[in-house]
Amino acid sequence: MTRFRMPALSRLALAGAAALAVVASALAPAATGAPASAADRPEYVALGDSYSAGVFVRPWDAGDGCGRSYRNYPHQVAERFGYRLKDVTCGAAEIVDGILEPQPSDKILGPPTIPPEGGWPELPPQLEALSEDTDVVTVGVGGNSLGFGAVLAKCLELGLTQPLKTKPCTDYYTGSGAGADWLQDRFAQVDADFGRMMTAIHAASPHARVVVGYPAIVPDNSGCSFLHWNQLGSVKKGDMPWLDGLERRLNDLLHRHAGHQNATYADTYESSVGHGVCESGDAKWMYGIRDNLTGDGDQTDPPTELCNDIPGTGEACTLVHPNARGLDNQAREVAKVLQRGGGTHPGLLTAPQG
């Protein structure tokens, strides 16, 4: 604990957990039979943030700082259905800074977490990957725009600085708490921006739209231990139900927008309940604040100076993202959406309840 400095942790959690948040996407029905050539295969474009990119799950693409895992649901779905994949997902992407507009260099956070000299180049808007010929579109975004990273950082800070309170973060963001109005304003902005994004996706690729929700992080706090950094570190147990409710509220917003746009909603939350950050072994589908890497191969992510300020023995500052088992579950749920589509024209797909 003596190495822990809260300002550094706050900056790190804000940067990384921008990866949080849960996911929107658009999909066309699966093709039957083996296509004659790559050009004949349906084109699938994957848009989204770190939860869609699958950051910190080996093996990942180390070329542009987006951290896209070759095990993420876009890759698994494309392989299963024979799609020609264009994966432009990127860790830390936001609805505006990432999907609708360029993603600035200072919002490209890896892995690799340590950028090359001069930083990563700015990325073009993910929306530019779409065209009228795109057959399948998935989009998973919203958590970074909401500021989930800032919320998590505040919960970590308050857990340490207000030790006598059982739910200091809940108190801060609800009722007359100092952060309540800020959070309400963020939800209103996400609501407006998400609707604008869905309209833009439909205009660019009118064939299909699927919205993918975020998986469960901490629906049950019974397995959590205070100051265990492969879980939620200094977040108090009393604040975990509120954090879960915050995520479900964001998922509800994504689900609602899917319905407004005649899109399909892929629910990854319900199937991941009981597999959150406080579980252990194979039951754990979510990385903690600092955790050991999962996936195939031996890639590592050398810790930054900020990461070294976080206690714990985990090999990387994974900052609450799905691990390899979590990515596999996302892929199963998105594949179910495609299967349900059958031969129906994608514009007629309806959002499932749940």
Side-chain angles (χ1 to χ4, degrees):
M1 282 297 297
T2 57
R3 294 194 304 118
F4 180 82
R5 299 197 302 271
M6 180 50 64
L9 175 60
S10 299
R11 293 194 302 273
L12 178 59
L14 173 59
L20 273 168
V22 201
V23 179
S25 30
L27 301 165
T32 58
S37 67
D40 295 331
R41 287 155 42 191
E43 181 183 81
Y44 166 27
V45 176
L47 315 174
D49 62 19
S50 56
Y51 273 56
S52 294
V55 298
F56 296 113
V57 175
R58 298 180 297 227
W60 61 73
D61 181 350
D64 60 4
C66 287
R68 298 179 202 89
S69 173
Y70 292 103
R71 190 166 172 164
N72 64 15
Y73 73 78
H75 279 82
Q76 293 199 46
V77 165
E79 182 176 0
R80 174 169 179 174
F81 293 102
Y83 293 147
R84 182 163 39 93
L85 174 63
K86 188 183 296 184
D87 183 1
V88 293
T89 59
C90 191
E94 301 176 16
I95 299 169
V96 176
D97 287 351
I99 307 292
L100 294 172
E101 296 179 9
Q103 186 165 343
S105 176
D106 62 355
K107 289 187 178 181
I108 302 172
L109 306 175
T113 306
I114 299 176
E117 186 175 354
W120 300 108
E122 177 182 273
L123 293 170
Q126 293 182 24
L127 195 70
E128 291 183 359
L130 303 176
S131 73
E132 291 184 358
D133 296 327
T134 302
D135 300 288
V136 179
V137 181
T138 61
V139 56
V141 72
N144 297 331
S145 302
L146 180 64
F148 197 89
V151 171
L152 179 61
K154 194 66 179 179
C155 290
L156 291 164
E157 176 188 344
L158 293 174
L160 290 173
T161 59
Q162 299 185 10
L164 299 182
K165 286 193 173 183
T166 58
K167 49 183 183 62
C169 202
T170 305
D171 295 341
Y172 184 86
Y173 284 110
T174 60
S176 58
D181 289 344
W182 174 87
L183 187 59
Q184 282 296 106
D185 289 345
R186 294 303 288 253
F187 263 107
Q189 191 64 54
V190 169
D191 196 7
D193 289 343
F194 201 90
R196 184 160 62 95
M197 179 197 71
M198 290 294 287
T199 299
I201 290 173
H202 179 57
S205 299
H207 301 302
R209 298 163 305 287
V210 173
V211 174
V212 183
Y214 289 98
I217 297 172
V218 58
D220 181 357
N221 64 4
S222 62
C224 278
S225 300
F226 189 62
L227 296 184
H228 280 218
W229 296 92
N230 67 334
Q231 298 178 2
L232 285 180
S234 56
V235 177
K236 291 289 190 72
K237 273 193 176 184
D239 282 322
M240 292 180 189
W242 178 79
L243 278 173
D244 179 56
L246 180 67
E247 184 189 6
R248 288 187 283 109
R249 182 180 173 188
L250 177 59
N251 276 341
D252 287 345
L253 184 153
L254 305 182
H255 195 165
R256 174 166 51 82
H257 276 285
H260 290 168
Q261 294 282 345
N262 292 321
T264 303
Y265 179 74
D267 182 355
T268 69
Y269 180 93
E270 291 300 328
S271 58
S272 56
V273 170
H275 298 282
V277 69
C278 299
E279 304 300 326
S280 60
D282 290 347
K284 183 179 178 181
W285 295 356
M286 185 70 58
Y287 287 129
I289 302 292
R290 183 165 184 162
D291 220 329
N292 292 326
L293 298 174
T294 59
D296 300 322
D298 57 1
Q299 273 178 305
T300 60
D301 187 51
T304 63
E305 181 179 350
L306 291 178
C307 183
N308 280 328
D309 289 329
I310 294 183
T313 58
E315 56 189 301
C317 287
T318 44
L319 293 166
V320 195
H321 288 92
N323 62 21
R325 289 176 291 274
L327 297 193
D328 292 346
N329 182 66
Q330 288 177 311
R332 286 191 294 270
E333 295 304 319
V334 174
K336 286 179 185 177
V337 168
L338 288 171
Q339 290 292 154
R340 282 199 300 266
T344 306
H345 187 281
L348 300 179
L349 292 173
T350 56
Q353 300 301 307

